[in-house]
Amino acid sequence: MYTTPGQLPEVVEVPTPEPGPGEVRLKVTAAGACHSDSFLLSLPAEQLSAMGFPLPLSLGHEGAGIVDKLGPGVSNVEVGTSVAVYGPQGCGRCYVCAQGKENYCPHAAAMGIFPPGLGAPGAMAEYMIVPDARHLLALGDLDPVQNVALTDAGLTPYHAIKIALPALVPGSTVLVIGSGGLGHIGIQILKAISPATVIVADIAPDKLELAKDVGADYVVNSGNASAVEEIMAVTGGRPVSAVVDFVGFQPTFDLGAAVVGMGSPQVLVGAGAISAKHGLVSGRPYESMVVNPYWGSRHELIEVFELARKGLVHVETEVFSLDDAPEAYRRLHDGTLRGRAVVVPSHPDVGRLCGRVRLSRTAVRSQDAGTATFAVLGGRCRLTRGIGGEPGERLEVLGDARVGSAVNTGRARQERKRARDYGPDQEVRIAHGGGRPVVHGAAWQGDRVSRA
């Protein structure tokens, strides 16, 4: 709960909300932490009030959960369904909303309609209220912990890239600026839906390494004075066909403007503010565009989830318990996350037993066993984070499991390998330094997993 301007959120006890007419209550399975939250945390109380953001406020505009209770009049969704929440909610009645573009609803703010976590109570809680079932998208077999961030960190890049897509023909090049939480997903989307050569610029070496891991064709350190020349060397001296800027500050805008070509879009996804010259004698290439999109439409979110189902997009995720949510925000602010932070709330029907994880068939819970994090959903347990270990370390699997391995190559790059089946009481040995066993979709049948 965000209670004090300028301070980190804190964990507090609040009454379980009850759904009113037309509303749906979710038992939250996962909530994403985003830089938009960090932006809110930086604002003074007066500005928060002027924007219509009352405190205290539960954060979390990336949310997923199990339909737990229906308000009067709700009949088009079933209790027990695993869903994700479409965040940028509009009035649902105007011409723009009728096209599914509630992110651009012109009436929402005046009607007091705000996204969860950005004015309305969010998903950083054990339960949340969704005002209308139309905002719920069935996840099916998608893991909510691994995919909740797609509701913003996937949808926002997808919408931005769709704007640039007409320019990304065979032989084209696109410059992606920023390879953090949104950027690393945007790179994958570009590789999945366009034939363009993807060049990624960032000032952080670890972010450039992440860009290579998720498919970037070329990376450039944008902190180098020669960054423009390095980009132009990749393109053979030609301007890039499009720029997608996930940072959105003046230096990154200037970098994009230096390499963008005639008729090319420069799409600003980052939440910063910039100034730019336009006009016939401004020196900017003719018909080049500066576009500032916001979030995305409901049908685009459906398309993003389809990319995830086909294995074309995945989110680099670090998982935190609800008690550790303030730490997630601290690391988000400090820029030390690899990808996205996801908070998994606790529920009273799951707890610890002798240092191991006790799982309930009806529970949704994340717990730590050593350095492993498990999410339980309808009796199915998935390993949602890797188990870090040393060469030769043994892990005990209590119950049937399907486990794959990811090993470090010479570039310290995590590569997924084909899954293997393990039976009860078998041992899994980490054979490579930094190896990280991960579950590939199947469930643990036993009731616990522990260090050997």
Side-chain angles (χ1 to χ4, degrees), residues 143-269:
D143 182 346
V145 176
Q146 292 298 308
N147 292 282
V148 65
L150 293 177
T151 58
D152 179 11
L155 176 57
T156 296
Y158 186 77
H159 178 63
I161 290 165
K162 289 286 286 288
I163 294 171
L165 201 57
L168 302 181
V169 298
S172 63
T173 54
V174 57
L175 173 64
V176 173
I177 303 178
S179 181
L182 273 68
H184 89 280
I185 302 174
I187 294 165
Q188 296 173 71
I189 292 171
L190 282 163
K191 299 301 292 185
I193 69 173
S194 88
T197 297
V198 178
I199 308 168
V200 178
D202 203 300
I203 61 173
D206 61 324
K207 298 296 191 294
L208 294 176
E209 192 64 33
L210 175 58
K212 290 187 288 186
D213 288 351
V214 297
D217 296 299
Y218 299 92
V219 297
V220 172
N221 191 316
S222 52
N224 295 342
S226 59
V228 171
E229 289 75 15
E230 292 178 47
I231 294 167
M232 299 299 278
V234 173
T235 66
R238 298 185 300 274
V240 298
S241 309
V243 176
V244 184
D245 185 348
F246 291 105
V247 181
F249 290 138
Q250 193 65 50
T252 61
F253 174 82
D254 293 342
L255 174 63
V259 297
V260 76
M262 286 189 293
S264 298
Q266 187 173 357
V267 188
L268 304 181
V269 183

Side-chain angles (χ1 to χ4, degrees), residues 360-452:
S360 166
R361 292 190 62 79
T362 60
V364 181
R365 176 61 164 154
S366 171
Q367 286 280 19
D368 286 335
T371 57
T373 301
F374 303 89
V376 190
L377 180 59
R380 294 164 41 134
C381 176
R382 296 188 182 190
L383 178 62
T384 57
R385 289 184 69 187
I387 304 174
E390 299 299 325
E393 184 176 2
R394 294 177 300 165
L395 306 174
E396 182 182 2
V397 179
L398 304 178
D400 293 327
R402 184 171 176 79
V403 178
S405 64
V407 299
N408 287 331
T409 66
R411 297 196 306 167
R413 174 175 175 175
Q414 296 292 326
E415 292 192 351
R416 290 171 174 77
K417 303 297 184 183
R418 188 169 61 87
R420 293 181 57 194
D421 292 322
Y422 294 90
D425 302 321
Q426 283 188 282
E427 294 178 348
V428 181
R429 183 177 295 274
I430 298 177
H432 303 269
R436 297 168 64 86
V438 295
V439 163
H440 284 236
W444 253 274
Q445 304 300 319
D447 65 350
R448 60 196 185 278
V449 178
S450 75
R451 292 287 206 182

Side-chain angles (χ1 to χ4, degrees), residues 106-128:
H107 310 296
M111 296 175 65
I113 301 171
F114 295 99
L118 297 173
M124 293 281 179
E126 292 183 332
Y127 296 89
M128 70 177 295

Side-chain angles (χ1 to χ4, degrees), residues 268-331:
L268 304 181
V269 183
I274 60 95
S275 61
K277 293 181 179 180
H278 287 277
L280 186 64
V281 295
S282 66
R284 186 171 177 88
Y286 296 128
E287 296 190 16
S288 61
M289 300 167 285
V290 176
V291 187
N292 58 324
Y294 171 69
W295 223 324
S297 67
R298 277 186 289 153
H299 77 268
E300 287 173 327
L301 182 54
I302 293 172
E303 293 168 7
V304 170
F305 283 145
E306 285 302 312
L307 290 176
R309 287 189 179 93
K310 293 181 182 299
L312 297 173
V313 171
H314 76 276
V315 184
E316 292 287 330
T317 299
E318 293 194 44
V319 183
F320 298 80
S321 69
L322 187 59
D323 289 341
D324 290 333
E327 172 65 10
Y329 279 111
R330 185 193 66 78
R331 291 191 53 199

